[in-house]
Structure formats: structure tokens, C-alpha cells
Amino acid sequence: MAEYTIMTNSSGDYHVQKANIPMEKGGYLIYGTGHMHAGAVNVTLYGQDGRALCTSTPKYGTGKEPGNEKGYSVGMSVCYPKPGSIKINNGETLTVESRYKNGFFTGVMGHMYIYLVDRLPKERITPQNNPTLS
């Protein structure tokens, strides 16, 4: 979603924006996180069947120092699904839904970054079975 402005209205507590994203190539979801600005509540990625794949919520700053500015989104939660638990099919259309507080906000956006893999490893890679990780 491109950057946009939310105008205050009286139609509820939240402003919701959705975007549909056709996935030419699918895979297994192994990571997801959002990117949002001040006023954000959350961003959720949905599968074509309506199942929630990942919800990312903001962390708001509480201080004055860089990286912790009060009232600003300074981080987002991440999703690490159990490997193999979320499969996105080739050609599936995903929906990204961003939710902001109902109020006047400029420069808002609701991005979702995801990592997909084509296949899963046959066994879990650990320092015990892969010495290069030691």
C-alpha cells in the first residue's frame, strides 16, 4: 500500500485499508512482519480462504531518545510460524489489511514483509548436526 492520509470520521474506532496481492509463486511462510506509522493498531496477512497467516502489531516509544520516541511506532512484532504449518499456493491471492486508529494521520501505510521457502529441510539444522554453525 502506498502512503496515504486518514481523515477523521465518525464511522467507528478504526480505519481499515485492504490490498489484494496475487502470488504467482507460492511456498511455505517462514517469517512475516509489518511496517506501519504512528496511529497504527496492526497489519494482518490473510490467505485466499480468509485464514489469518500473520498479524504484526506496533511497539510505541515511551521516551525522548532516538529509537524510543514517545508516541511513534518504533518496532513491529514478527511471525515465525512452525515450519510447514502455513502453505501459500501458486496463484493464491493474499490480502493485507492495515488497521489504524480513527483520527487524522498523514503518511500512513500498511506493509507486510514475508519470506517464503520452496521446500522445507528434511531435518532441523542445529550446531550438533552442522559444525559450521558452532
Side-chain angles (χ1 to χ4, degrees), residues 11 42 49 60 86 109 115 120 122:
S11 64
N42 64 38
D49 61 0
Y60 281 97
I86 298 177
M109 57 183 61
Y115 292 164
L120 299 169
K122 293 185 184 199

Side-chain angles (χ1 to χ4, degrees), residues 61-72:
T62 58
K64 294 182 181 180
E65 64 277 3
N68 189 32
E69 299 91 341
K70 185 174 183 176
Y72 288 90

Side-chain angles (χ1 to χ4, degrees), residues 95-107:
T95 300
V96 175
E97 178 184 274
S98 65
R99 186 176 303 267
Y100 276 84
K101 296 174 187 172
N102 186 3
F104 180 74
F105 296 100
T106 61

